[in-house]
Amino acid sequence: MTLLTVSDNLSDSAALCDAVVRLRGAALVAELGRIAGAVLASPHGQFLPAPPPSSGELSQALTALPGGRPGLLQEISFDGQSFGHFAVSGRASYSELDRHQLASLASLTAGVLQVHSLAQRSTHAYAQVEALLAQQTQILDQLHESVLTMDLQGYITS
């Protein structure tokens, strides 16, 4: 059994954060799977994105190519939202410590994916507001009338 050092945990955490920020699609799926395999020193690590995989995909993910050894599966969820599963396989056996490490990685991954999702939605909403303001500015620029805005006390604000 291989125990990760603190520096290994930090580098894996940094790699996970970097992957979520920089990568999309298949590249992100592959990198998250690689990180799961590296954390548990498993030959095969996979990230199976949500929606939940079919039972065939689960059994395939949990069966290593050489020897068909069993593996571990861990759901990645945060606050009721499922982001997928980690599946690792390829070692002769996995201990409770391995299960705990995979659960910790899944928890960290879910938190990072949740924050990234919120940031993307906020950025999208901000871009929509900016586009609306630009449109309103164009309309006001085309008017041949004066426009004043005032606060509730009657003071001119613009």
Side-chain angles (χ1 to χ4, degrees):
M1 173 171 51
T2 304
L3 295 177
L4 296 177
T5 64
V6 172
S7 64
D8 287 339
N9 285 329
L10 290 175
S11 66
D12 289 332
S13 298
L16 182 128
C17 293
D18 188 49
V20 170
V21 169
R22 286 186 311 105
L23 303 175
R24 299 287 171 273
L28 176 61
V29 168
E31 182 63 7
L32 292 178
R34 185 202 65 75
I35 291 168
V39 166
L40 293 184
S42 290
H44 307 289
Q46 288 182 297
F47 170 68
L48 307 168
S54 68
S55 60
E57 289 174 311
L58 288 178
S59 63
Q60 183 181 8
L62 289 176
T63 304
L65 297 175
R69 298 177 186 143
L72 295 176
L73 181 72
Q74 178 65 50
E75 183 179 13
I76 303 166
S77 63
F78 182 85
D79 216 16
Q81 181 180 4
S82 179
F83 294 98
H85 291 79
F86 278 130
V88 293
S89 59
R91 288 185 13 204
S93 65
Y94 292 91
S95 67
E96 274 306 307
L97 178 61
D98 294 326
R99 290 181 196 283
H100 179 70
Q101 285 181 322
L102 189 59
S104 295
L105 178 65
S107 178
L108 174 64
T109 303
V112 171
L113 288 172
Q114 176 72 11
V115 167
H116 187 260
S117 174
L118 290 171
Q120 280 185 316
R121 282 185 278 175
S122 296
T123 301
H124 181 69
Y126 181 75
Q128 286 179 321
V129 168
E130 275 191 329
L132 182 60
L133 288 172
Q135 181 186 28
Q136 289 174 348
T137 299
Q138 281 182 332
I139 292 169
L140 289 173
D141 287 345
Q142 299 302 315
L143 290 177
H144 297 289
E145 305 291 330
S146 294
V147 177
L148 296 174
T149 57
M150 297 188 296
D151 63 16
L152 292 174
Q153 288 77 32
Y155 293 104
I156 296 174
T157 57
S158 66

